[in-house]
mmCIF file of all heavy atoms in Angstrom:
data_model
loop_
_atom_site.group_PDB
_atom_site.id
_atom_site.type_symbol
_atom_site.label_atom_id
_atom_site.label_comp_id
_atom_site.label_asym_id
_atom_site.label_seq_id
_atom_site.Cartn_x
_atom_site.Cartn_y
_atom_site.Cartn_z
ATOM 1 N N ILE A 1 0.840 -1.187 0.102
ATOM 2 C CA ILE A 1 -0.048 0.086 0.094
ATOM 3 C C ILE A 1 0.938 1.310 0.015
ATOM 4 O O ILE A 1 0.681 2.226 -0.801
ATOM 5 C CB ILE A 1 -1.025 -0.055 1.172
ATOM 6 C CG1 ILE A 1 -1.958 -1.105 0.943
ATOM 7 C CG2 ILE A 1 -1.676 1.336 1.294
ATOM 8 C CD1 ILE A 1 -2.782 -1.497 2.247
ATOM 9 N N ALA A 2 1.839 1.261 0.879
ATOM 10 C CA ALA A 2 2.746 2.538 1.037
ATOM 11 C C ALA A 2 3.575 2.655 -0.235
ATOM 12 O O ALA A 2 3.617 3.714 -0.780
ATOM 13 C CB ALA A 2 3.520 2.490 2.205
ATOM 14 N N ALA A 3 4.332 1.695 -0.507
ATOM 15 C CA ALA A 3 5.482 1.780 -1.612
ATOM 16 C C ALA A 3 4.714 1.674 -2.991
ATOM 17 O O ALA A 3 5.095 2.410 -3.830
ATOM 18 C CB ALA A 3 6.411 0.721 -1.454
ATOM 19 N N GLY A 4 3.694 0.876 -3.128
ATOM 20 C CA GLY A 4 3.014 0.723 -4.410
ATOM 21 C C GLY A 4 2.254 1.970 -4.807
ATOM 22 O O GLY A 4 2.275 2.290 -5.900
ATOM 23 N N ARG A 5 1.831 2.723 -3.886
ATOM 24 C CA ARG A 5 1.159 4.000 -4.056
ATOM 25 C C ARG A 5 2.075 4.902 -4.681
ATOM 26 O O ARG A 5 1.828 5.606 -5.705
ATOM 27 C CB ARG A 5 0.361 4.519 -2.921
ATOM 28 C CG ARG A 5 -0.315 5.837 -3.107
ATOM 29 C CD ARG A 5 -0.960 6.370 -1.974
ATOM 30 N NE ARG A 5 -1.965 7.523 -2.322
ATOM 31 C CZ ARG A 5 -1.501 8.744 -2.497
ATOM 32 N NH1 ARG A 5 -0.191 8.977 -2.609
ATOM 33 N NH2 ARG A 5 -2.321 9.759 -2.833
ATOM 34 N N ARG A 6 3.221 5.023 -4.057
ATOM 35 C CA ARG A 6 4.360 6.034 -4.533
ATOM 36 C C ARG A 6 4.880 5.577 -5.861
ATOM 37 O O ARG A 6 5.130 6.305 -6.722
ATOM 38 C CB ARG A 6 5.304 6.123 -3.419
ATOM 39 C CG ARG A 6 6.375 7.185 -3.724
ATOM 40 C CD ARG A 6 7.532 7.131 -2.702
ATOM 41 N NE ARG A 6 8.267 5.935 -2.926
ATOM 42 C CZ ARG A 6 8.568 5.160 -1.922
ATOM 43 N NH1 ARG A 6 8.185 5.290 -0.654
ATOM 44 N NH2 ARG A 6 9.218 3.968 -2.127
ATOM 45 N N ASP A 7 5.244 4.235 -5.827
ATOM 46 C CA ASP A 7 6.151 3.754 -7.031
ATOM 47 C C ASP A 7 5.297 3.335 -8.232
ATOM 48 O O ASP A 7 5.761 3.261 -9.257
ATOM 49 C CB ASP A 7 7.080 2.678 -6.546
ATOM 50 C CG ASP A 7 8.113 3.074 -5.619
ATOM 51 O OD1 ASP A 7 8.357 4.341 -5.510
ATOM 52 O OD2 ASP A 7 8.620 2.218 -4.948
ATOM 53 N N VAL A 8 4.028 3.044 -8.054
ATOM 54 C CA VAL A 8 3.296 2.400 -9.104
ATOM 55 C C VAL A 8 2.007 3.222 -9.368
ATOM 56 O O VAL A 8 1.818 3.647 -10.516
ATOM 57 C CB VAL A 8 2.895 0.917 -8.766
ATOM 58 C CG1 VAL A 8 1.875 0.321 -9.838
ATOM 59 C CG2 VAL A 8 4.124 0.037 -8.601
ATOM 60 N N VAL A 9 1.199 3.467 -8.339
ATOM 61 C CA VAL A 9 -0.098 4.134 -8.634
ATOM 62 C C VAL A 9 0.048 5.630 -9.061
ATOM 63 O O VAL A 9 -0.563 5.972 -10.102
ATOM 64 C CB VAL A 9 -0.978 3.963 -7.314
ATOM 65 C CG1 VAL A 9 -2.347 4.738 -7.651
ATOM 66 C CG2 VAL A 9 -1.221 2.655 -7.050
ATOM 67 N N LEU A 10 0.819 6.428 -8.317
ATOM 68 C CA LEU A 10 0.975 7.747 -8.706
ATOM 69 C C LEU A 10 1.577 7.952 -10.163
ATOM 70 O O LEU A 10 0.869 8.701 -10.924
ATOM 71 C CB LEU A 10 1.702 8.570 -7.703
ATOM 72 C CG LEU A 10 1.020 8.728 -6.371
ATOM 73 C CD1 LEU A 10 1.910 9.384 -5.337
ATOM 74 C CD2 LEU A 10 -0.306 9.356 -6.473
ATOM 75 N N PRO A 11 2.654 7.192 -10.600
ATOM 76 C CA PRO A 11 3.048 7.297 -11.894
ATOM 77 C C PRO A 11 2.049 6.857 -12.869
ATOM 78 O O PRO A 11 1.919 7.369 -13.963
ATOM 79 C CB PRO A 11 4.315 6.509 -11.919
ATOM 80 C CG PRO A 11 4.814 6.414 -10.536
ATOM 81 C CD PRO A 11 3.529 6.468 -9.673
ATOM 82 N N LEU A 12 1.272 5.736 -12.545
ATOM 83 C CA LEU A 12 0.275 5.166 -13.540
ATOM 84 C C LEU A 12 -0.720 6.280 -13.740
ATOM 85 O O LEU A 12 -1.054 6.533 -14.862
ATOM 86 C CB LEU A 12 -0.283 3.916 -12.814
ATOM 87 C CG LEU A 12 -1.618 3.428 -13.655
ATOM 88 C CD1 LEU A 12 -1.191 2.896 -14.932
ATOM 89 C CD2 LEU A 12 -2.289 2.422 -12.801
ATOM 90 N N LEU A 13 -1.274 6.864 -12.654
ATOM 91 C CA LEU A 13 -2.331 7.883 -12.812
ATOM 92 C C LEU A 13 -1.885 9.095 -13.533
ATOM 93 O O LEU A 13 -2.776 9.783 -14.220
ATOM 94 C CB LEU A 13 -2.953 8.277 -11.415
ATOM 95 C CG LEU A 13 -3.636 7.133 -10.785
ATOM 96 C CD1 LEU A 13 -4.096 7.496 -9.389
ATOM 97 C CD2 LEU A 13 -4.782 6.581 -11.550
ATOM 98 N N SER A 14 -0.623 9.382 -13.460
ATOM 99 C CA SER A 14 -0.223 10.672 -14.220
ATOM 100 C C SER A 14 0.421 10.397 -15.589
ATOM 101 O O SER A 14 0.836 11.361 -16.298
ATOM 102 C CB SER A 14 0.895 11.325 -13.400
ATOM 103 O OG SER A 14 2.042 10.604 -13.322
ATOM 104 N N CYS A 15 0.335 9.141 -16.075
ATOM 105 C CA CYS A 15 0.945 8.812 -17.406
ATOM 106 C C CYS A 15 -0.114 9.025 -18.515
ATOM 107 O O CYS A 15 -1.252 9.333 -18.221
ATOM 108 C CB CYS A 15 1.362 7.340 -17.424
ATOM 109 S SG CYS A 15 0.188 6.065 -17.718
ATOM 110 N N GLY A 16 0.314 8.932 -19.734
ATOM 111 C CA GLY A 16 -0.587 9.146 -20.931
ATOM 112 C C GLY A 16 -1.432 8.041 -21.379
ATOM 113 O O GLY A 16 -2.047 8.073 -22.427
ATOM 114 N N LEU A 17 -1.479 7.036 -20.463
ATOM 115 C CA LEU A 17 -2.370 5.813 -20.849
ATOM 116 C C LEU A 17 -3.776 6.179 -20.965
ATOM 117 O O LEU A 17 -4.227 7.185 -20.164
ATOM 118 C CB LEU A 17 -2.154 4.763 -19.811
ATOM 119 C CG LEU A 17 -2.673 3.370 -20.023
ATOM 120 C CD1 LEU A 17 -2.054 2.627 -21.261
ATOM 121 C CD2 LEU A 17 -2.418 2.446 -18.839
ATOM 122 N N ALA A 18 -4.583 5.497 -21.910
ATOM 123 C CA ALA A 18 -5.985 5.887 -21.971
ATOM 124 C C ALA A 18 -6.697 5.694 -20.661
ATOM 125 O O ALA A 18 -6.257 4.874 -19.822
ATOM 126 C CB ALA A 18 -6.628 5.032 -23.001
ATOM 127 N N ASP A 19 -7.721 6.538 -20.375
ATOM 128 C CA ASP A 19 -8.426 6.418 -19.105
ATOM 129 C C ASP A 19 -8.987 5.061 -18.638
ATOM 130 O O ASP A 19 -8.860 4.658 -17.577
ATOM 131 C CB ASP A 19 -9.694 7.428 -19.085
ATOM 132 C CG ASP A 19 -9.205 8.862 -18.854
ATOM 133 O OD1 ASP A 19 -7.956 9.036 -18.405
ATOM 134 O OD2 ASP A 19 -9.883 9.729 -19.117
ATOM 135 N N GLU A 20 -9.553 4.348 -19.526
ATOM 136 C CA GLU A 20 -10.172 3.094 -19.241
ATOM 137 C C GLU A 20 -9.121 1.988 -18.627
ATOM 138 O O GLU A 20 -9.285 1.504 -17.596
ATOM 139 C CB GLU A 20 -10.967 2.452 -20.298
ATOM 140 C CG GLU A 20 -11.701 1.229 -19.890
ATOM 141 C CD GLU A 20 -12.714 0.647 -20.860
ATOM 142 O OE1 GLU A 20 -12.975 1.389 -21.852
ATOM 143 O OE2 GLU A 20 -13.178 -0.401 -20.623
ATOM 144 N N PRO A 21 -8.066 1.755 -19.403
ATOM 145 C CA PRO A 21 -6.991 0.755 -18.887
ATOM 146 C C PRO A 21 -6.350 1.311 -17.658
ATOM 147 O O PRO A 21 -6.056 0.521 -16.751
ATOM 148 C CB PRO A 21 -6.068 0.579 -19.941
ATOM 149 C CG PRO A 21 -6.396 1.511 -20.986
ATOM 150 C CD PRO A 21 -7.685 2.065 -20.867
ATOM 151 N N LYS A 22 -6.152 2.635 -17.646
ATOM 152 C CA LYS A 22 -5.507 3.293 -16.397
ATOM 153 C C LYS A 22 -6.387 2.975 -15.106
ATOM 154 O O LYS A 22 -5.894 2.593 -14.126
ATOM 155 C CB LYS A 22 -5.466 4.704 -16.539
ATOM 156 C CG LYS A 22 -4.595 5.471 -15.504
ATOM 157 C CD LYS A 22 -4.646 6.978 -15.667
ATOM 158 C CE LYS A 22 -4.014 7.531 -16.982
ATOM 159 N NZ LYS A 22 -3.974 8.953 -16.990
ATOM 160 N N ARG A 23 -7.731 3.184 -15.267
ATOM 161 C CA ARG A 23 -8.633 2.974 -14.141
ATOM 162 C C ARG A 23 -8.736 1.476 -13.837
ATOM 163 O O ARG A 23 -8.845 1.137 -12.555
ATOM 164 C CB ARG A 23 -9.947 3.471 -14.405
ATOM 165 C CG ARG A 23 -9.992 4.998 -14.610
ATOM 166 C CD ARG A 23 -9.435 5.740 -13.381
ATOM 167 N NE ARG A 23 -9.236 7.204 -13.681
ATOM 168 C CZ ARG A 23 -8.445 7.983 -12.952
ATOM 169 N NH1 ARG A 23 -7.801 7.558 -11.990
ATOM 170 N NH2 ARG A 23 -8.248 9.180 -13.365
ATOM 171 N N VAL A 24 -8.684 0.608 -14.796
ATOM 172 C CA VAL A 24 -8.832 -0.844 -14.453
ATOM 173 C C VAL A 24 -7.541 -1.229 -13.757
ATOM 174 O O VAL A 24 -7.565 -1.979 -12.737
ATOM 175 C CB VAL A 24 -9.018 -1.639 -15.825
ATOM 176 C CG1 VAL A 24 -8.702 -3.191 -15.542
ATOM 177 C CG2 VAL A 24 -10.295 -1.432 -16.435
ATOM 178 N N LEU A 25 -6.405 -0.860 -14.178
ATOM 179 C CA LEU A 25 -5.168 -1.138 -13.420
ATOM 180 C C LEU A 25 -5.035 -0.650 -12.112
ATOM 181 O O LEU A 25 -4.649 -1.277 -11.087
ATOM 182 C CB LEU A 25 -3.928 -0.687 -14.276
ATOM 183 C CG LEU A 25 -3.606 -1.268 -15.584
ATOM 184 C CD1 LEU A 25 -2.487 -0.644 -16.364
ATOM 185 C CD2 LEU A 25 -3.227 -2.758 -15.310
ATOM 186 N N HIS A 26 -5.757 0.691 -11.832
ATOM 187 C CA HIS A 26 -5.694 1.222 -10.521
ATOM 188 C C HIS A 26 -6.723 0.295 -9.619
ATOM 189 O O HIS A 26 -6.405 0.018 -8.504
ATOM 190 C CB HIS A 26 -6.311 2.611 -10.646
ATOM 191 C CG HIS A 26 -6.245 3.411 -9.338
ATOM 192 N ND1 HIS A 26 -7.057 4.442 -9.142
ATOM 193 C CD2 HIS A 26 -5.416 3.226 -8.246
ATOM 194 C CE1 HIS A 26 -6.719 4.988 -7.882
ATOM 195 N NE2 HIS A 26 -5.823 4.235 -7.385
ATOM 196 N N ALA A 27 -7.878 -0.124 -10.138
ATOM 197 C CA ALA A 27 -8.744 -1.035 -9.523
ATOM 198 C C ALA A 27 -8.122 -2.319 -9.132
ATOM 199 O O ALA A 27 -8.286 -2.802 -7.989
ATOM 200 C CB ALA A 27 -10.024 -1.202 -10.335
ATOM 201 N N VAL A 28 -7.328 -2.884 -10.042
ATOM 202 C CA VAL A 28 -6.679 -4.106 -9.751
ATOM 203 C C VAL A 28 -5.683 -3.922 -8.607
ATOM 204 O O VAL A 28 -5.562 -4.788 -7.723
ATOM 205 C CB VAL A 28 -5.881 -4.665 -11.016
ATOM 206 C CG1 VAL A 28 -4.944 -5.779 -10.675
ATOM 207 C CG2 VAL A 28 -6.925 -5.108 -12.044
ATOM 208 N N TRP A 29 -4.943 -2.839 -8.594
ATOM 209 C CA TRP A 29 -4.016 -2.535 -7.463
ATOM 210 C C TRP A 29 -4.801 -2.514 -6.094
ATOM 211 O O TRP A 29 -4.433 -2.949 -5.085
ATOM 212 C CB TRP A 29 -3.314 -1.195 -7.635
ATOM 213 C CG TRP A 29 -2.367 -0.908 -6.495
ATOM 214 C CD1 TRP A 29 -1.073 -1.353 -6.447
ATOM 215 C CD2 TRP A 29 -2.592 -0.038 -5.500
ATOM 216 N NE1 TRP A 29 -0.437 -0.847 -5.286
ATOM 217 C CE2 TRP A 29 -1.441 -0.047 -4.657
ATOM 218 C CE3 TRP A 29 -3.614 0.762 -5.013
ATOM 219 C CZ2 TRP A 29 -1.309 0.733 -3.459
ATOM 220 C CZ3 TRP A 29 -3.608 1.462 -3.887
ATOM 221 C CH2 TRP A 29 -2.405 1.434 -3.107
ATOM 222 N N HIS A 30 -5.981 -1.949 -6.144
ATOM 223 C CA HIS A 30 -6.804 -1.880 -4.957
ATOM 224 C C HIS A 30 -7.258 -3.286 -4.530
ATOM 225 O O HIS A 30 -7.375 -3.647 -3.346
ATOM 226 C CB HIS A 30 -7.967 -0.916 -5.109
ATOM 227 C CG HIS A 30 -7.707 0.453 -4.871
ATOM 228 N ND1 HIS A 30 -7.205 1.087 -3.674
ATOM 229 C CD2 HIS A 30 -7.610 1.474 -5.752
ATOM 230 C CE1 HIS A 30 -6.916 2.283 -3.874
ATOM 231 N NE2 HIS A 30 -7.170 2.679 -5.155
ATOM 232 N N MET A 31 -7.700 -4.139 -5.579
ATOM 233 C CA MET A 31 -8.124 -5.416 -5.305
ATOM 234 C C MET A 31 -6.962 -6.213 -4.609
ATOM 235 O O MET A 31 -7.271 -7.025 -3.622
ATOM 236 C CB MET A 31 -8.545 -6.149 -6.595
ATOM 237 C CG MET A 31 -9.720 -5.618 -7.175
ATOM 238 S SD MET A 31 -10.229 -6.237 -8.801
ATOM 239 C CE MET A 31 -9.611 -7.851 -8.926
ATOM 240 N N VAL A 32 -5.679 -6.144 -5.164
ATOM 241 C CA VAL A 32 -4.621 -6.867 -4.546
ATOM 242 C C VAL A 32 -4.364 -6.365 -3.086
ATOM 243 O O VAL A 32 -4.127 -7.170 -2.126
ATOM 244 C CB VAL A 32 -3.369 -6.640 -5.316
ATOM 245 C CG1 VAL A 32 -2.069 -7.206 -4.637
ATOM 246 C CG2 VAL A 32 -3.592 -7.349 -6.655
ATOM 247 N N SER A 33 -4.558 -5.022 -2.842
ATOM 248 C CA SER A 33 -4.412 -4.483 -1.494
ATOM 249 C C SER A 33 -5.402 -5.178 -0.563
ATOM 250 O O SER A 33 -5.072 -5.503 0.567
ATOM 251 C CB SER A 33 -4.653 -2.896 -1.454
ATOM 252 O OG SER A 33 -3.717 -2.332 -2.305
ATOM 253 N N ILE A 34 -6.632 -5.146 -0.906
ATOM 254 C CA ILE A 34 -7.712 -5.850 -0.191
ATOM 255 C C ILE A 34 -7.333 -7.427 0.172
ATOM 256 O O ILE A 34 -7.423 -7.803 1.186
ATOM 257 C CB ILE A 34 -9.080 -5.639 -0.751
ATOM 258 C CG1 ILE A 34 -9.467 -4.199 -0.713
ATOM 259 C CG2 ILE A 34 -10.085 -6.499 -0.123
ATOM 260 C CD1 ILE A 34 -10.625 -3.772 -1.707
ATOM 261 N N ASP A 35 -6.972 -7.973 -1.031
ATOM 262 C CA ASP A 35 -6.617 -9.472 -0.784
ATOM 263 C C ASP A 35 -5.451 -9.638 0.131
ATOM 264 O O ASP A 35 -5.540 -10.567 1.060
ATOM 265 C CB ASP A 35 -6.326 -9.984 -2.205
ATOM 266 C CG ASP A 35 -6.001 -11.457 -2.130
ATOM 267 O OD1 ASP A 35 -6.809 -12.266 -1.746
ATOM 268 O OD2 ASP A 35 -4.846 -11.802 -2.575
ATOM 269 N N LEU A 36 -4.451 -8.873 0.082
ATOM 270 C CA LEU A 36 -3.331 -9.002 1.040
ATOM 271 C C LEU A 36 -3.703 -8.838 2.464
ATOM 272 O O LEU A 36 -3.262 -9.571 3.421
ATOM 273 C CB LEU A 36 -2.207 -8.055 0.601
ATOM 274 C CG LEU A 36 -1.515 -8.391 -0.694
ATOM 275 C CD1 LEU A 36 -0.496 -7.240 -1.034
ATOM 276 C CD2 LEU A 36 -0.728 -9.723 -0.628
ATOM 277 N N VAL A 37 -4.577 -7.724 2.716
ATOM 278 C CA VAL A 37 -5.053 -7.493 4.109
ATOM 279 C C VAL A 37 -5.912 -8.638 4.613
ATOM 280 O O VAL A 37 -5.758 -9.148 5.692
ATOM 281 C CB VAL A 37 -5.774 -6.148 4.189
ATOM 282 C CG1 VAL A 37 -6.475 -5.963 5.471
ATOM 283 C CG2 VAL A 37 -4.801 -4.968 3.904
ATOM 284 N N LEU A 38 -6.851 -9.020 3.716
ATOM 285 C CA LEU A 38 -7.780 -10.167 4.194
ATOM 286 C C LEU A 38 -6.994 -11.473 4.297
ATOM 287 O O LEU A 38 -7.444 -12.239 5.236
ATOM 288 C CB LEU A 38 -8.925 -10.268 3.101
ATOM 289 C CG LEU A 38 -9.947 -9.168 3.091
ATOM 290 C CD1 LEU A 38 -10.971 -9.515 1.916
ATOM 291 C CD2 LEU A 38 -10.619 -8.947 4.403
ATOM 292 N N SER A 39 -6.069 -11.727 3.538
ATOM 293 C CA SER A 39 -5.126 -12.895 3.752
ATOM 294 C C SER A 39 -4.524 -12.956 5.102
ATOM 295 O O SER A 39 -4.545 -13.945 5.751
ATOM 296 C CB SER A 39 -4.133 -13.058 2.596
ATOM 297 O OG SER A 39 -4.878 -13.299 1.372
ATOM 298 N N GLY A 40 -4.040 -11.722 5.416
ATOM 299 C CA GLY A 40 -3.185 -11.554 6.669
ATOM 300 C C GLY A 40 -4.275 -11.860 7.885
ATOM 301 O O GLY A 40 -4.007 -12.488 8.860
ATOM 302 N N LEU A 41 -5.531 -11.184 7.769
ATOM 303 C CA LEU A 41 -6.517 -11.520 8.772
ATOM 304 C C LEU A 41 -6.975 -12.887 8.775
ATOM 305 O O LEU A 41 -7.167 -13.455 9.910
ATOM 306 C CB LEU A 41 -7.632 -10.541 8.530
ATOM 307 C CG LEU A 41 -7.402 -8.996 8.677
ATOM 308 C CD1 LEU A 41 -8.729 -8.206 8.219
ATOM 309 C CD2 LEU A 41 -6.992 -8.720 10.126
ATOM 310 N N ALA A 42 -7.024 -13.549 7.702
ATOM 311 C CA ALA A 42 -7.488 -14.924 7.649
ATOM 312 C C ALA A 42 -6.375 -15.841 8.462
ATOM 313 O O ALA A 42 -6.751 -16.680 9.122
ATOM 314 C CB ALA A 42 -7.583 -15.436 6.183
ATOM 315 N N LEU A 43 -5.135 -15.436 8.177
ATOM 316 C CA LEU A 43 -4.087 -16.161 8.844
ATOM 317 C C LEU A 43 -4.096 -15.976 10.389
ATOM 318 O O LEU A 43 -3.884 -16.905 11.087
ATOM 319 C CB LEU A 43 -2.660 -15.816 8.246
ATOM 320 C CG LEU A 43 -2.570 -16.416 6.876
ATOM 321 C CD1 LEU A 43 -1.223 -15.838 6.200
ATOM 322 C CD2 LEU A 43 -2.432 -17.992 6.874
ATOM 323 N N PHE A 44 -4.501 -14.726 10.825
ATOM 324 C CA PHE A 44 -4.581 -14.566 12.262
ATOM 325 C C PHE A 44 -5.641 -15.404 12.807
ATOM 326 O O PHE A 44 -5.549 -16.072 13.828
ATOM 327 C CB PHE A 44 -4.841 -13.066 12.496
ATOM 328 C CG PHE A 44 -3.708 -12.153 12.448
ATOM 329 C CD1 PHE A 44 -3.781 -11.057 11.667
ATOM 330 C CD2 PHE A 44 -2.485 -12.474 13.072
ATOM 331 C CE1 PHE A 44 -2.662 -10.145 11.517
ATOM 332 C CE2 PHE A 44 -1.416 -11.647 13.031
ATOM 333 C CZ PHE A 44 -1.531 -10.405 12.275
ATOM 334 N N CYS A 45 -6.854 -15.466 12.107
ATOM 335 C CA CYS A 45 -7.900 -16.156 12.550
ATOM 336 C C CYS A 45 -7.571 -17.758 12.519
ATOM 337 O O CYS A 45 -7.956 -18.512 13.504
ATOM 338 C CB CYS A 45 -9.132 -16.016 11.546
ATOM 339 S SG CYS A 45 -9.927 -14.427 11.783
ATOM 340 N N LEU A 46 -6.796 -18.166 11.523
ATOM 341 C CA LEU A 46 -6.380 -19.529 11.543
ATOM 342 C C LEU A 46 -5.550 -20.006 12.691
ATOM 343 O O LEU A 46 -5.555 -21.036 13.234
ATOM 344 C CB LEU A 46 -5.695 -19.887 10.148
ATOM 345 C CG LEU A 46 -6.560 -20.013 8.956
ATOM 346 C CD1 LEU A 46 -5.746 -20.231 7.629
ATOM 347 C CD2 LEU A 46 -7.568 -21.098 9.069
ATOM 348 N N SER A 47 -4.703 -18.941 13.038
ATOM 349 C CA SER A 47 -3.815 -19.138 14.184
ATOM 350 C C SER A 47 -4.605 -19.491 15.515
ATOM 351 O O SER A 47 -4.077 -20.197 16.432
ATOM 352 C CB SER A 47 -2.836 -18.026 14.464
ATOM 353 O OG SER A 47 -3.463 -16.995 14.926
ATOM 354 N N LEU A 48 -5.774 -18.987 15.617
ATOM 355 C CA LEU A 48 -6.677 -19.190 16.784
ATOM 356 C C LEU A 48 -7.664 -20.327 16.568
ATOM 357 O O LEU A 48 -8.457 -20.718 17.570
ATOM 358 C CB LEU A 48 -7.427 -18.014 17.051
ATOM 359 C CG LEU A 48 -6.519 -16.604 17.273
ATOM 360 C CD1 LEU A 48 -7.321 -15.441 17.431
ATOM 361 C CD2 LEU A 48 -5.607 -16.843 18.566
#
């Protein structure tokens, strides 16, 4: 979330790519962020 926003998302959003693929890639980045957080929480739950 921290490094990806700085190194990937901000350059992506400011590049000359067409709006639709740019927004899809931005949404995919958010999907991965959610997946990583939920996976960590799932592992905490599994530990108990």
Side-chain angles (χ1 to χ4, degrees):
I1 291 167
R5 182 177 188 287
R6 183 188 70 235
D7 294 342
V8 177
V9 174
L10 294 178
L12 170 69
L13 294 177
S14 65
C15 79
L17 190 63
D19 280 342
E20 187 173 350
K22 185 187 304 188
R23 297 301 170 197
V24 169
L25 291 170
H26 190 204
V28 169
W29 181 82
H30 282 293
M31 288 171 34
V32 171
S33 301
I34 292 164
D35 181 60
L36 292 171
V37 170
L38 289 177
S39 294
L41 295 176
L43 289 170
F44 284 129
C45 291
L46 288 175
S47 74
L48 302 172

